[in-house]
Amino acid sequence: DVSDWSSDVCSSDLAVHVMGGHWTLEDCEVDSTKRSRASSAVIVRNAATLGLRRCAVRDCAHAVVLERKTSTVHAERCSFTNVKEAFQTRGGGTVELEYNTFVRNEVALKLDDKVTGYAMGNSLDGSMFGRYFRPRGFRCSANECTGSGSDGNDSSDSEA
């Protein structure tokens, strides 16, 4: 359980900072006990690879941020709750999402046009991309989007 990452112990508003190597977080909870959403739960930089399995991330501005085109994140069977933008990329990277649940988020994915990867079998109570566009190199299939914020283009690729 990684909580209250905005305390004096971690002054950077980050719970996990992955600078390199291959890391896997399994069966963990990452949440903020601050009244307002903390900045970012996980930052992945450089050529780092992060695997998230059966984790719960909640109450933050960003669940995972990829900072470089050489960064990779693979999340499966995780939940992301009350997050402004669950996954954000800055400069590309690879995002792979399988069978995750997104609840009470403003938008699940804010991806730049250089990102690659896929979202498959995820469940959302809103929109996957919101006002943002799906990058050309990012595939979607069998995602279930429900609720007032969902749109018809989130669940599958719509390229000709």
Side-chain angles (χ1 to χ4, degrees):
D1 185 12
V2 180
S3 62
D4 196 19
W5 69 79
S6 299
S7 69
D8 293 336
V9 175
C10 185
S11 60
S12 66
D13 280 346
L14 297 174
V16 179
H17 196 165
V18 182
M19 293 293 291
H22 298 276
W23 296 84
T24 300
L25 299 176
E26 292 184 341
D27 302 309
C28 69
E29 294 182 16
V30 182
D31 65 328
S32 174
T33 57
K34 285 179 68 173
R35 188 171 297 244
S36 63
R37 293 180 195 168
S39 179
S40 299
V42 180
I43 299 278
V44 182
R45 292 198 165 123
N46 304 322
T49 299
L50 174 66
L52 296 171
R53 292 189 184 93
R54 299 174 308 276
C55 293
V57 181
R58 59 185 164 266
D59 302 324
C60 54
H62 309 100
V64 178
V65 177
L66 268 69
E67 293 273 330
R68 299 264 194 283
K69 68 180 179 180
T70 53
S71 300
T72 299
V73 64
H74 178 89
E76 65 179 79
R77 303 191 190 287
C78 297
S79 65
F80 303 94
T81 306
N82 194 33
V83 177
K84 181 178 178 186
E85 298 156 348
F87 287 83
Q88 180 184 42
T89 60
R90 302 175 187 155
T94 302
V95 176
E96 300 171 341
L97 307 172
E98 297 180 17
Y99 309 107
N100 299 292
T101 303
F102 296 85
V103 179
R104 293 188 322 271
N105 301 303
E106 289 183 27
V107 65
L109 306 175
K110 181 181 180 185
L111 307 177
D112 63 70
D113 61 351
K114 298 174 185 161
V115 75
T116 60
Y118 61 89
M120 178 182 74
N122 300 289
S123 173
L124 303 90
D125 70 352
S127 177
M128 183 170 286
F129 296 98
R131 61 187 170 100
Y132 308 109
F133 294 101
R134 178 177 55 86
R136 177 173 222 136
F138 193 82
R139 301 179 326 273
C140 295
S141 64
N143 297 297
E144 182 180 329
C145 301
T146 61
S148 61
S150 66
D151 59 49
N153 296 322
D154 285 342
S155 63
S156 63
D157 287 325
S158 57
E159 295 177 357

